[in-house]
Amino acid sequence: MDLSGLSFLSEADLKSRLTSNELRLKNAQSKLKDQTALVDENKKRAQNFVDLFAQGIVSKKELEGSSKDAEQAVADLEEAKGKCKDLELTVKAMKDRLSVLQKRKALSKANSKLIGSFETRKQNKSKSRLPSKQKIESKSSLAETASDKSKK
């Protein structure tokens, strides 16, 4: 998988692909284990054929065939190792990216809460600073009474 495209995936898509790649990795690791056993088996068989050829029991063609099988098993093992390593790196990159997305999401929620509480405090302060309607009316009536007294 091209890892450069990970930054463009949504969290849901990333989780889906991560699950898929984890399954692929598990299967590849199982095949790697089987391939390792096959290499050991083919190497033993090739060694037995060397001994049997020396005793004249098997032909040179059979000896060469067992050697080729052993060599092919080793090549397949190396390929399986490479596939496992690639999948491990992909899974790790996906987990790292998912972690970043989840941290950003958590920070965004925390920031929203902070902004919300700041706005609430700001509104509460502005409400307490504004005189109530009754205070305004009583102040205006006091002012009228004072002006009436000064006229007299």
Side-chain angles (χ1 to χ4, degrees), residues 69-83:
D69 289 344
E71 290 171 6
Q72 184 61 47
V74 170
D76 292 345
L77 176 64
E78 292 304 314
E79 185 178 335
K81 284 180 182 178
K83 185 174 182 179

Side-chain angles (χ1 to χ4, degrees), residues 35-46:
Q35 191 62 37
T36 302
L38 185 62
V39 166
D40 292 340
E41 182 182 312
N42 281 343
K43 283 184 177 182
K44 286 179 186 176
R45 185 170 182 260

Side-chain angles (χ1 to χ4, degrees), residues 6 15 36 60 64 117 125 152:
L6 289 180
K15 283 180 180 179
T36 302
K60 186 171 183 165
E64 289 172 350
S117 66
K125 282 184 180 179
K152 291 182 182 179

Side-chain angles (χ1 to χ4, degrees), residues 60-139:
K60 186 171 183 165
K61 186 176 183 180
E62 290 172 309
L63 173 64
E64 289 172 350
S66 67
S67 294
K68 285 183 182 179
D69 289 344
E71 290 171 6
Q72 184 61 47
V74 170
D76 292 345
L77 176 64
E78 292 304 314
E79 185 178 335
K81 284 180 182 178
K83 185 174 182 179
C84 279
K85 186 67 176 171
D86 287 346
L87 285 169
E88 286 169 357
L89 291 173
T90 300
V91 166
K92 183 185 180 318
M94 289 179 144
K95 285 180 177 180
D96 291 347
R97 178 66 183 152
L98 190 58
S99 174
V100 167
L101 289 176
Q102 290 169 339
K103 285 178 185 175
R104 281 186 187 166
K105 188 176 182 180
L107 283 174
S108 177
K109 283 183 180 180
N111 285 340
S112 294
K113 287 180 182 178
L114 284 175
I115 291 171
S117 66
F118 176 74
E119 291 295 324
T120 303
R121 278 191 268 144
K122 192 175 177 182
Q123 289 172 356
N124 288 340
K125 282 184 180 179
S126 65
K127 285 180 183 177
S128 66
R129 288 183 185 159
L130 291 176
S132 67
K133 191 173 184 180
Q134 291 174 342
K135 287 181 182 177
I136 293 172
E137 288 174 359
S138 65
K139 285 182 182 178

